[in-house]
Amino acid sequence: MTTEVKRRLIVFACFLVTAVTLIPIVMMVLVAFQSDAESMAARPSFWPSSWHPENLTRAFDLVPLGRYLLNTVIFAAGTTLLETVTAALAAYAFARLEFRGRGWLFGIYLATLMVPTQVTLIPQFVLVAKLHGIDTWPGMILPHAFTALGVFLLRQFFLGIPRDYEEAARLDGANRWQTFTRVILPLAVPAVATLAVFKFISQWNNLLWPLVISNSDATRTVAVGLQVFQDSNGTQWNLLLMAATITTLPLIVIFFLTQRWFVRGITMSGLGGR
Amino acid sequence: MTVQTMTGPSGTSRSSPSAPTRARPRWRDRDKQTLAAWLFLLPSLIGFALFTAGPVLAAGVISLLDWNLFSPPSFAGVRNFVRLADDSTFWSALGNTAYFTFASVPLTMLVSLALALLLNQGLRQVAVFRSLLLLPYATITVAVAFVWIWLYIPQDGLVNSALSVVGIQGPAWLISDAWAMPALIAMSVWKGFGFGMVVFLAGLQAIPQQLYEAATIDGTGPWQRFRHVTLPMLSPSVFFVVVTSVIASFQVFDQALIMTEGGPGSSTTTLVMYIYRTAFQNYDQGYAAAESLVLFGFIVVITAVQFRLQRKLVHYDN
Amino acid sequence: MSHTLSRRALLGWAAVGGMGAAGLLSGCSSRPAGAATWSIWSTSAAEGQVWADFSRYVEQQLGVRSIPTLTPTDGYPTKLDLQLVSGTASLVTGVLGWLLPTYAARGAHRPLDDLIAGDPDFDVKDFYPTGRDICSFDGRTYAIPFDVAPTVLYYNKSILDAHGIPPPSPTEPMSWTRFRELAIELSQPADQYGFTCAPQIDDLVSWIYCAGGDVLNPDATASALDAPEAMAALEFVIGLFTRDRAAPPIRNLVTENPLANFLQGNVAFMQNGPWQVVNARKAKFDWDVVPFPAGPAGSTPRVSGSGFAIPAGTAEEDLPLAWSLLKTLTSTGALNIYARAGRNNPARRTAGSAFRPPPDNLGIVARILAGELAGGHPYRVTTNWYQVRLLLNQELPRAFLGQVSVREAVDAVTPRLNVLIRQHQDNVRLAEQRRR
């Protein structure tokens, strides 16, 4: 099989898989353009019988989506940044540095992943209340910026980096910090980028915490805003799904534009790579 | 060219400062590492201790109490845990959750791995597919859950319509005792594969090309290369995805709540849903905390087993 | 080497810590002294507007800043719980009627009898009795009602006209027999249905009340679902689904929505609260409301409402402001705002009726509450109604789906329901002990 045919086949396979996988997403977008009556009908129809692009502006009218989007960016970016930085540092310690109690401490980190957030919600809220953090940015961001997931992911990745690189740097006279910043981190870019993407997406869609912490539009996020379309009298599907579409697109665009950080390979001299 | 393992000069020796004249103690390498470690750990540790570990500890303490949130708590000792033994709803929720986990994790892993391999061809056109395939993972659960409810409508939902095209009469899915959980599992695999896909993509990128070239020169076929190069090099990522997926699956909540509210009957009532109800609807905080500790116990055991297996199956270049 | 390491790491951490501290201090949002804070559920922009109007009214009347906290309906109870347990709740909080015993029995809110007694200006009698009933628990008042309404029967005029059936009497409830006849007749054509309701206890209970039954026995010590009255009601309603096929097939137990079915235009009768009037006006056909069909005990469907309450932990010095705020939020002036919005019926007689034409017959809601025609039965709930509702909504739909008979469904439910009712009694006893 020639590389050209192989290439075409792969692209075709990708296309097919994507098309099938995205059927529910396509439906979501289609319903977003339906009229109120059609989208709330008991028997759903997928192809809109009439297109209503004004749903786009209507979604923005009913709720300050622009402000909520900004707030969501602040919240998601804040938690992502904090977690990525602190997790990278901590993961290096767990992966490469010997100290007493390392195993135990890592075990404690892991253990916190196994307790559901619904159970820690009350202690976290009371803590933030005591620190006067209700309805403030630090109160919203800090409790979610120190989870064990980042430390776990990066530790695994760091463990997989061949020690040779560090040995080489050591021989060149680098200290630990320089080894970390100039050798490990550049190699770890795909893993750090992966962590950043997951953290960003999960906090972008986090509903419960922003709901209970923010009391005003100044800090409300998009996930809370989507609730507006679900009032006690029923759900306005078309507007809800339109708002969901509008607010998911930025995530995908960001991911698309930052692709190269995921696909960077190892380019250290001596090992080549692609 | 194979990877050269560089060895440092043997017998590195440092000239030790003359001990008696210095007031400072000698820093052994071990102590230096410990100091460095704590400094690296500090930023994470402070936030972690305060905002993550603290609340978890609080939940542990609450499990020993009898507390309805609004009135002062009273000490209950192990009473909450004893109650659990007879609570059939708890055990059926545990069963449902285990069913969900052991079905959805392998399925999701397979899909993630297959797609990561497909997308790792380094072709420029493929970049846009990578982003698009992240849409299920990135879209907020409440929106996609409702679309899936429609897909699963027995009479004229898309799933049963598609099945009838090939002559199968689809079950009642979300309103059927037997098929509600499989329906949830399918939706969760669809929603969750993006996570593993991105992790595996990063892991695949990190495999040095040289290893593949060497294997090809040795005359191995694609399947051999996959088994002997890709899988071992990818094993840390696989391990990570399996461990985190199991932990997350045991805590499944959102989609079950939105799509079935735990029904029909209690066939899709998951552990975290039961814990949430115990805490926020039954106002039985101590009991809810006890339930989470038992859940925690199960997850610890399963994770410990995975860590044991890691020693045999996961390849770290040490 | 250690120096560079520690300095950089420390600098980084200090920056984070500093930002955090500065943010915490500057973003301090503890309750400003002297402000009237209150919290209520509100999802859509229209509801938000109503509460904004309330807020302005409060500022006019009390001369202090009014700070409402609006939370989407679904998340409101969870958020209220967190605020109550952390001591950051508002001076006055909204409470759903069916949750009042749940909160009251656990000591979340403060009884109001002493404040009512000590305030001669407060005209408690102006509130509809059913509203006051809903806001009481164990003989004490825990909330002042702000809205209350009975379930009514909506009907699709166009369908009735097309079949030559005269519209039902606007004031006389029709009998169950007549109702069933009509429902069956109007389901004859394909894809037409006579009736829709939610397959859940909230709707079933209206029929049970009209039959003279209840979910609980009179002293709330055991289940009354297997009593002949309740069974008759359940057989009747569920029969409409399974035997008579007068209702649209159930697609999904969670999202089953009678309003959506009704708005399709192919269902003749819908059981729903008058709060759906704002949405029903979007219908593309003529419709109106009539009193709920009368069973053996008359037309006594469920009456539900909500109120405002004061959290138990409110400090002594804040009580005067909290009480004034509570009175203002439930005053005739404020409830007139509520009435004008037309979303639900105010709990006071002197406030205007929310339900004005179109369509013509909406005025019966206020008349039913005033006792002039038909009737209503306040929703009688336990202190663990979350669990009771969950149990009933998990098991009873099986009968709606035809998977089991009504008898089997009730037999499956009764033992567990009795356990829950016993726990309810334990809660009531504990609440009484706590008071002493």
Side-chain angles (χ1 to χ4, degrees):
Chain A
M1 191 183 292
T2 64
T3 25
E4 178 58 32
V5 172
K6 190 164 170 231
R7 198 171 62 80
R8 293 245 179 100
L9 260 176
I10 290 176
V11 173
F12 180 69
C14 288
F15 179 75
L16 203 62
V17 163
T18 311
V20 169
T21 311
L22 292 190
I23 289 176
I25 303 286
V26 169
M27 282 177 182
M28 188 177 90
V29 176
L30 287 178
V31 173
F33 282 98
Q34 287 178 355
S35 65
D36 285 0
E38 199 180 355
S39 70
M40 288 176 68
R43 197 176 296 163
S45 58
F46 291 112
W47 196 260
S49 51
S50 56
W51 289 83
H52 293 260
E54 74 271 11
N55 286 349
L56 232 127
T57 41
R58 278 179 69 202
F60 274 91
D61 282 341
L62 278 182
V63 87
L65 256 189
R67 174 79 217 202
Y68 287 177
L69 271 169
L70 177 65
N71 291 342
T72 317
V73 169
I74 297 176
F75 175 58
T79 46
T80 303
L81 211 66
L82 255 183
E83 171 141 346
T84 318
V85 167
T86 57
L89 292 167
Y92 181 66
F94 281 119
R96 283 290 186 260
L97 299 174
E98 300 273 337
F99 57 98
R100 212 161 42 165
R102 183 175 74 168
W104 283 107
L105 190 57
F106 186 65
I108 293 176
Y109 265 80
L110 264 190
T112 59
L113 285 178
M114 306 176 197
V115 177
T117 49
Q118 288 78 2
V119 161
T120 51
L121 182 64
I122 294 176
Q124 274 180 337
F125 190 88
V126 173
L127 174 66
V128 173
K130 293 268 179 280
L131 294 175
H132 297 292
I134 306 283
D135 208 22
T136 64
W137 284 118
M140 210 156 107
I141 291 177
L142 289 176
H144 280 261
F146 300 98
T147 67
L149 189 71
V151 172
F152 186 28
L153 170 64
L154 294 181
R155 175 214 187 237
Q156 292 307 104
F157 191 84
F158 290 163
L159 281 179
I161 295 178
R163 283 192 188 267
D164 317 335
Y165 298 116
E166 289 162 88
E167 299 275 341
R170 274 303 209 57
L171 289 174
D172 284 347
N175 62 25
R176 273 208 202 284
W177 181 253
Q178 288 164 333
T179 316
F180 178 64
T181 49
R182 300 209 195 128
V183 178
I184 301 293
L185 275 189
L187 286 176
V189 166
V192 171
T194 305
L195 171 64
V197 158
F198 289 140
K199 191 71 188 174
F200 197 80
I201 291 178
S202 73
Q203 296 313 309
W204 186 271
N205 291 329
N206 189 346
L207 170 61
L208 191 55
W209 185 249
L211 179 82
V212 300
I213 277 288
S214 55
N215 292 336
S216 63
D217 280 348
T219 45
R220 262 200 204 123
T221 61
V222 144
V224 179
L226 285 184
Q227 297 267 302
V228 162
F229 305 110
Q230 279 180 271
D231 80 8
S232 43
N233 296 334
T235 308
Q236 285 184 284
W237 297 118
N238 52 346
L239 296 178
L240 172 69
L241 297 183
M242 176 62 84
T245 310
I246 295 172
T247 53
T248 310
L249 276 177
L251 292 177
I252 301 305
V253 169
I254 292 175
F255 180 66
F256 180 66
L257 292 175
T258 56
Q259 286 268 328
R260 54 193 188 87
W261 291 337
F262 290 83
V263 303
R264 242 177 72 168
I266 301 170
T267 52
M268 287 283 284
S269 60
L271 282 192
R274 175 164 298 237
Chain B
M1 183 185 86
T2 51
V3 174
Q4 301 278 2
T5 312
M6 309 251 240
T7 51
S10 51
T12 320
S13 60
R14 292 175 194 278
S15 52
S16 35
S18 43
T21 57
R22 286 189 185 257
R24 260 187 298 143
R26 256 173 49 188
W27 287 90
R28 297 201 312 275
D29 191 56
R30 187 75 192 276
D31 293 332
K32 279 197 182 128
Q33 284 204 43
T34 308
L35 176 65
W38 287 104
L39 287 172
F40 270 91
L41 280 173
L42 211 54
S44 167
L45 203 53
I46 292 182
F48 175 77
L50 191 60
F51 293 109
T52 308
V56 169
L57 214 68
V61 170
I62 293 173
S63 70
L64 300 171
L65 304 174
D66 202 351
W67 189 35
N68 69 14
L69 262 198
F70 306 125
S71 305
S74 61
F75 188 71
V78 291
R79 205 169 41 228
N80 290 324
F81 293 93
V82 172
R83 260 172 80 191
L84 269 179
D86 282 329
D87 188 348
S88 59
T89 318
F90 176 77
W91 295 105
S92 90
L94 179 61
N96 293 338
T97 313
Y99 175 12
F100 178 83
T101 302
F102 292 120
S104 66
V105 170
L107 281 173
T108 314
M109 291 267 312
L110 275 172
V111 173
S112 313
L113 190 55
L115 286 174
L117 288 169
L118 179 64
L119 293 174
N120 190 40
Q121 307 296 320
L123 301 167
R124 207 160 296 161
Q125 297 91 320
V126 164
V128 70
F129 292 120
R130 267 190 225 119
S131 316
L132 288 178
L133 280 175
L134 202 56
L135 269 169
Y137 184 78
T139 314
I140 194 168
T141 309
V142 68
V144 293
F146 281 121
V147 174
W148 275 88
I149 289 178
W150 288 325
L151 288 178
Y152 279 132
I153 287 177
Q155 294 87 346
D156 31 20
L158 199 64
V159 172
N160 278 357
S161 304
L163 285 176
S164 64
V165 163
V166 289
I168 307 173
Q169 210 219 345
W173 298 115
L174 296 173
I175 44 182
S176 141
D177 277 61
W179 290 96
M181 189 55 99
L184 264 183
I185 291 170
M187 182 270 187
S188 303
V189 171
W190 176 87
K191 183 105 187 20
F193 76 83
F195 179 76
M197 184 184 84
V198 174
V199 172
F200 291 147
L201 271 173
L204 286 171
Q205 288 295 319
I207 302 178
Q209 200 58 20
Q210 272 58 25
L211 295 177
Y212 287 114
E213 287 171 13
T216 322
I217 290 172
D218 287 349
T220 53
W223 176 246
Q224 308 285 69
R225 285 202 294 275
F226 178 73
R227 266 196 66 201
H228 295 293
V229 178
T230 313
L231 271 189
M233 293 303 284
L234 208 53
S235 51
S237 310
V238 171
F239 177 70
F240 170 74
V241 171
V242 170
V243 169
T244 49
S245 299
V246 167
I247 292 176
S249 295
F250 259 96
Q251 299 178 41
V252 63
F253 176 61
D254 284 339
Q255 55 264 50
L257 188 71
I258 298 172
M259 291 173 77
T260 59
E261 280 183 359
S266 53
S267 57
T268 54
T269 301
T270 63
L271 266 175
V272 172
M273 194 186 295
Y274 185 51
I275 292 173
Y276 176 77
R277 284 183 177 149
T278 310
F280 287 100
Q281 294 184 353
N282 307 355
Y283 292 98
D284 201 345
Q285 301 300 323
Y287 196 51
E291 288 166 7
S292 350
L293 282 185
V294 174
L295 166 65
F296 167 79
F298 277 104
I299 301 181
V300 164
V301 167
I302 295 180
T303 308
V305 167
Q306 290 171 69
F307 268 84
R308 288 252 138 200
L309 289 175
Q310 164 201 219
R311 275 183 219 154
K312 272 192 269 173
L313 299 175
V314 178
H315 167 100
Y316 294 117
D317 187 19
N318 280 337
Chain C
M1 177 188 106
S2 321
H3 293 297
T4 18
L5 195 54
S6 40
R7 210 184 298 144
R8 282 204 204 189
L10 277 172
L11 271 178
W13 177 66
V16 169
M19 273 189 333
L24 277 173
L25 290 171
S26 64
C28 213
S29 71
S30 50
R31 204 180 302 144
T37 55
W38 47 290
S39 55
I40 187 65
W41 54 87
S42 170
T43 324
S44 62
E47 284 174 270
Q49 189 53 47
V50 173
W51 301 116
D53 293 340
F54 262 70
S55 205
R56 257 193 302 279
Y57 183 77
V58 165
E59 287 184 343
Q60 272 168 16
Q61 296 294 311
L62 293 183
V64 294
R65 226 174 110 208
S66 154
I67 306 183
T69 305
L70 306 180
T71 309
T73 313
D74 281 342
Y76 180 81
T78 307
K79 189 159 178 176
L80 178 63
D81 294 343
L82 290 172
Q83 290 175 332
L84 287 168
V85 75
S86 64
T88 55
S90 314
L91 286 176
V92 169
T93 66
V95 179
L96 287 163
W98 66 274
L99 281 179
L100 189 109
T102 302
Y103 281 109
R106 290 169 178 82
H109 291 108
R110 187 190 189 291
L112 301 172
D113 300 291
D114 54 341
L115 295 170
I116 296 174
D119 193 332
D121 292 332
F122 186 62
D123 48 348
V124 133
K125 295 274 189 319
D126 190 32
F127 293 93
Y128 293 114
T130 33
R132 278 164 37 207
D133 203 296
I134 290 166
C135 290
S136 308
F137 167 69
D138 207 25
R140 288 176 168 67
T141 309
Y142 280 91
I144 306 295
F146 70 85
D147 72 13
V148 66
T151 301
V152 293
L153 193 70
Y154 293 64
Y155 70 93
N156 184 328
K157 256 197 207 151
S158 313
I159 292 184
L160 261 64
D161 288 343
H163 286 254
I165 297 174
S169 158
T171 51
E172 274 304 306
M174 67 176 100
S175 70
W176 279 16
T177 333
R178 176 72 186 139
F179 176 73
R180 181 158 173 262
E181 268 171 27
L182 284 176
I184 293 177
E185 185 183 333
L186 295 167
S187 314
Q188 299 299 22
D191 210 32
Q192 295 274 3
Y193 300 99
F195 172 65
T196 177
C197 75
Q200 295 178 344
I201 189 61
D202 280 359
D203 277 358
L204 282 174
V205 83
S206 291
W207 299 93
I208 296 178
Y209 289 154
C210 287
D214 196 348
V215 176
L216 318 163
N217 65 2
D219 39 50
T221 49
S223 156
L225 271 188
D226 45 1
E229 296 88 1
M231 286 298 295
L234 290 173
E235 300 271 9
F236 182 81
V237 177
I238 295 175
L240 286 170
F241 278 76
T242 52
R243 186 188 49 225
D244 306 325
R245 303 201 183 280
I250 296 175
R251 295 174 142 59
N252 176 288
L253 291 173
V254 173
T255 58
E256 194 59 25
N257 186 345
L259 180 69
N261 291 339
F262 188 65
L263 288 177
Q264 285 275 151
N266 62 346
V267 181
F269 293 106
M270 165 176 75
Q271 164 187 5
N272 220 320
W275 48 85
Q276 292 291 16
V277 158
V278 271
N279 292 314
R281 288 200 177 111
K282 298 181 196 156
K284 296 200 171 29
F285 49 84
D286 284 330
W287 59 275
D288 210 334
V289 301
V290 289
F292 198 79
S299 168
T300 53
R302 161 174 74 103
V303 177
S304 285
S306 320
F308 280 110
I310 298 181
T314 311
E316 278 300 313
E317 63 264 20
D318 290 329
L319 266 181
L321 179 57
W323 177 239
S324 310
L325 177 59
L326 182 48
K327 282 195 299 179
T328 314
L329 287 171
T330 53
S331 63
T332 308
L335 292 185
N336 275 331
I337 300 175
Y338 203 66
R340 271 199 299 279
R343 303 185 69 83
N344 202 351
N345 211 63
R348 270 185 187 270
R349 293 175 219 267
T350 50
S353 164
F355 298 115
R356 287 180 242 271
D360 299 323
N361 207 27
L362 285 183
I364 56 165
V365 171
R367 296 181 65 194
I368 294 175
L369 284 170
E372 289 171 34
L373 53 91
H377 189 301
Y379 200 8
R380 198 157 157 254
V381 298
T382 60
T383 54
N384 53 3
W385 197 253
Y386 266 124
Q387 290 167 271
V388 172
R389 191 180 64 157
L390 180 66
L391 171 65
L392 295 177
N393 287 341
Q394 274 178 342
E395 297 301 328
L396 294 180
R398 288 190 199 283
F400 278 97
L401 291 170
Q403 292 169 356
V404 300
S405 73
V406 174
R407 183 87 241 173
E408 286 164 349
V410 170
D411 287 343
V413 156
T414 304
R416 284 183 281 167
L417 185 54
N418 280 329
V419 170
L420 287 176
I421 295 177
R422 272 199 297 278
Q423 288 173 355
H424 158 69
Q425 285 299 337
D426 291 340
N427 290 340
V428 173
R429 245 194 316 277
L430 273 173
E432 279 166 15
Q433 279 174 3
R434 240 178 261 122
R435 261 203 298 277
R436 285 188 216 113

